[in-house]
Amino acid sequence: MKKSIYIFSDGELHRKDNTLFFEGENGRKFIPVENTSEIMIFGEVSLNKRFLEFISQSEIILHFFNYYGYYVGSYYPREHLNSGYMILKQAEHYNDDNKRLYLAQKFIEGAYKNIRQVLKYYQNRDKDLEDIIYCIEKLGELINGTLSVNELMAIEGNIREYYYKSFDVILNNRDFEFDVRSKRPPKNSLNTLISFGNSLMYTTVLSEIYKTHLAPRIGYLHSTNFRRFSLNLDIAEIFKPIIIDRVIFSVVSKNMIKKDDFDDNAEGLILKERGKKIFIEEYVSKLTTTIKHRTIGNNVSYRRLIRLELYKLEKHLMEEQGYEPFLAQW
Amino acid sequence: MFIILVYDVNEKRVNKVLKTCRKYLNWVQNSVLEGDISDANLKKLKIELSHIINKKEDSVIFYLLRTTKYSKREIMGLEKGGENMFI
């Protein structure tokens, strides 16, 4: 499996000897091109066109994050899997309200069932979550009866509100209290972790979309607009609870990230470099963890699961097989 | 698959071999590289190397490990290179 590289130091990226070369304050290092799928850039890195050309040729995608750890954008190289057919199919399913609603409902259904699974896991570990699960299940029953994407989004918002309340019960840590969801900038440490994790998730899904025929600009739950990619946001909904939230629970409850890993400047809280690295390390090890896949019968990693999700979507769009979201069984 | 590659080639070709290997693997120390590699990429690497080396003079050894689960890496002295996902 090709790997992701995370650059925190400042320096220059070059093409050298037909491979990637990083020259920075802490030394110089070659990065194997053939074994790299994406590069996440957090530091101040300069690069030139020759490098971008080489990156495009090698089908490596660059994701940039600013000083605060927010996603800035990606260098999304020329698409190598060009399929006009797939774009038309995607647009067809977007323009037809019923077809679009069906897919949007499936994404929310996936997100809802995975959220429920995460909560059940903690309920079995003697956390008092019965009321929250009850409320979420009540809301979950409404998903299939919704008549518009906006109505669906409202239900999803309510589910998340209850869900985030459960974080306090699960973590039971005074340094990480949830309060309310706040973004741009996040106002407390838990919100900071959620935001940071979600932006990592979005970029991972985007990188996986790049390896398929799908056009990332056409999303179903998140409406398509002039500004940003939206299909990756849709697919990320399904995986956020089982990947990001579980990483958050483990870094907080194992005391890996502590209160002093956050810096409060610029009105909100940001994660310091040490915290970011610990979080990413947990996240990457989660992505590479393999599970036995029920239908394939083989061991697949979480990262692979994301790609399989996209293939299922392709099949649905081509009307070969109806799309069913991935549901965690544990 | 995880591999450890060691080479002993004539000085004239050292650079070429090193450059080729760096495309696929992480440099560890002089004449040693290691890293995860797919079956297809290993084949590509072997083909590329076979065009460079002189089979009568040079030698390249691949240690193939299906998984690193049962192995341990210990270092004495300096850590010169190796894999790191953070830079």
Side-chain angles (χ1 to χ4, degrees):
Chain A
M1 181 80 70
K2 291 192 176 187
K3 299 198 167 144
S4 319
I5 303 287
Y6 296 81
I7 299 182
F8 280 95
S9 12
D10 303 345
E12 273 178 68
L13 270 170
H14 295 287
R15 167 187 188 160
K16 193 171 183 183
D17 300 340
N18 271 330
T19 187
L20 313 173
F21 181 64
F22 182 79
E23 196 169 13
E25 70 236 84
N26 312 321
R28 15 188 27 220
K29 194 168 165 44
F30 281 92
I31 307 164
V33 249
E34 300 282 350
N35 207 16
T36 306
S37 67
E38 55 187 349
I39 304 177
M40 315 285 220
I41 300 174
F42 292 86
E44 285 304 318
V45 170
S46 39
L47 29 90
N48 54 18
K49 175 173 146 279
R50 210 149 36 112
F51 175 77
L52 293 176
E53 270 172 32
F54 186 55
I55 285 278
S56 310
Q57 201 183 19
S58 333
E59 302 180 23
I60 295 171
I61 183 166
L62 302 180
H63 298 294
F64 297 93
F65 296 83
N66 70 8
Y67 173 74
Y68 302 102
Y70 297 155
Y71 176 65
V72 190
S74 305
Y75 174 69
Y76 196 77
R78 180 177 77 80
E79 293 186 17
H80 294 263
L81 297 166
N82 278 316
S83 165
Y85 173 75
M86 198 39 97
I87 293 177
L88 285 177
K89 284 288 175 197
Q90 267 182 271
E92 191 184 312
H93 281 254
Y94 184 85
N95 283 332
D96 184 321
D97 286 342
N98 287 330
K99 285 181 177 170
R100 179 178 167 196
L101 186 63
Y102 176 82
L103 278 174
Q105 281 173 342
K106 286 291 170 194
F107 293 139
I108 295 297
E109 187 191 314
Y112 151 68
K113 289 196 170 152
N114 287 330
I115 283 175
R116 195 167 137 257
Q117 203 61 37
V118 170
L119 294 177
K120 288 255 161 154
Y121 172 90
Y122 283 100
Q123 196 186 24
N124 286 336
R125 271 152 189 76
D126 295 329
K127 300 279 183 188
D128 181 26
L129 295 168
E130 212 177 302
D131 297 344
I132 293 177
I133 293 180
Y134 177 78
C135 294
I136 287 184
E137 280 177 346
K138 273 274 162 279
L139 285 166
E141 285 164 14
L142 302 174
I143 292 173
N144 286 325
T146 46
L147 298 170
S148 72
V149 173
N150 284 338
E151 196 185 335
L152 189 63
M153 290 278 247
I155 289 176
E156 191 244 340
N158 291 337
I159 290 178
R160 275 200 190 270
E161 209 170 299
Y162 280 113
Y163 175 51
Y164 285 136
K165 269 185 202 150
S166 74
F167 279 38
D168 288 340
V169 184
I170 293 171
L171 292 172
N172 196 13
N173 184 332
R174 215 174 291 151
D175 290 339
F176 291 88
E177 268 173 356
F178 186 73
D179 195 22
V180 286
R181 179 83 176 107
S182 51
K183 294 184 223 175
R184 278 169 257 135
K187 295 270 187 282
N188 67 35
S189 40
L190 201 52
N191 276 301
T192 305
L193 290 180
I194 295 172
S195 292
F196 184 65
N198 287 350
S199 48
L200 287 178
M201 189 79 234
Y202 296 146
T203 56
T204 305
V205 179
L206 182 60
S207 300
E208 292 304 310
I209 293 176
Y210 182 63
K211 296 170 198 156
T212 70
H213 294 91
L214 293 162
R217 292 172 189 84
I218 305 178
Y220 298 94
L221 176 63
H222 297 85
S223 51
T224 294
N225 59 25
F226 292 102
R227 269 166 283 128
R228 60 186 294 181
F229 297 131
S230 50
L231 185 61
N232 57 336
L233 309 182
D234 287 7
I235 303 291
E237 290 297 328
I238 301 171
F239 291 96
K240 265 161 28 183
I242 50 175
I243 299 180
I244 297 300
D245 300 340
R246 282 182 169 159
V247 169
I248 293 174
F249 295 149
S250 81
V251 292
V252 173
S253 56
K254 287 182 196 158
N255 253 330
M256 294 160 83
I257 290 183
K258 294 185 209 74
K259 205 179 168 188
D260 52 334
D261 283 317
F262 297 89
D263 217 348
D264 60 341
N265 56 0
E267 291 166 45
L269 272 187
I270 61 165
L271 203 52
K272 287 186 198 162
E273 188 175 317
R274 197 190 84 96
K276 280 183 201 154
K277 281 185 177 168
I278 290 172
F279 193 93
I280 290 172
E281 226 162 310
E282 274 298 295
Y283 174 67
V284 170
S285 80
K286 189 93 204 168
L287 280 182
T288 46
T289 310
T290 55
I291 54 153
K292 182 127 179 146
H293 193 283
R294 296 221 161 178
T295 44
I296 298 177
N298 242 336
N299 287 330
V300 293
S301 65
Y302 278 90
R303 210 193 169 104
R304 186 83 194 161
L305 276 178
I306 299 173
R307 183 102 67 91
L308 292 173
E309 206 60 20
L310 298 167
Y311 290 148
K312 283 196 292 191
L313 183 62
E314 285 195 352
K315 277 202 175 266
H316 175 85
L317 296 172
M318 293 188 292
E319 274 139 33
E320 279 177 18
Q321 200 174 44
Y323 174 74
E324 287 299 328
F326 172 76
L327 305 177
Q329 308 284 342
W330 58 95
Chain B
M1 170 173 31
F2 187 85
I3 75 167
I4 300 167
L5 183 154
V6 295
Y7 59 83
D8 185 346
V9 300
N10 189 304
E11 251 177 84
K12 290 175 198 152
R13 292 177 288 273
V14 168
N15 237 322
K16 279 188 176 172
V17 170
L18 176 62
K19 280 180 184 175
T20 312
C21 295
R22 270 199 301 232
K23 290 200 287 189
Y24 298 88
L25 301 165
N26 291 294
W27 181 85
V28 180
Q29 49 177 246
N30 290 342
S31 319
V32 183
L33 294 103
E34 65 176 24
D36 269 311
I37 194 167
S38 65
D39 289 349
N41 272 348
L42 178 60
K43 219 168 218 174
K44 267 168 74 184
L45 174 60
K46 280 182 179 167
I47 293 168
E48 280 187 52
L49 286 176
S50 69
H51 291 315
I52 297 168
I53 62 167
N54 176 345
K55 288 195 174 124
K56 289 195 184 93
E57 276 182 46
D58 305 335
S59 137
V60 179
I61 304 175
F62 301 85
Y63 294 92
L64 315 181
L65 297 139
R66 193 173 302 160
T67 137
T68 46
K69 248 182 206 156
Y70 306 105
S71 71
K72 207 173 145 197
R73 188 168 180 265
E74 284 180 15
I75 301 164
M76 195 187 276
L78 285 178
E79 177 161 17
K80 291 193 165 179
E83 204 202 322
N84 199 345
M85 67 174 176
F86 297 115
I87 299 180

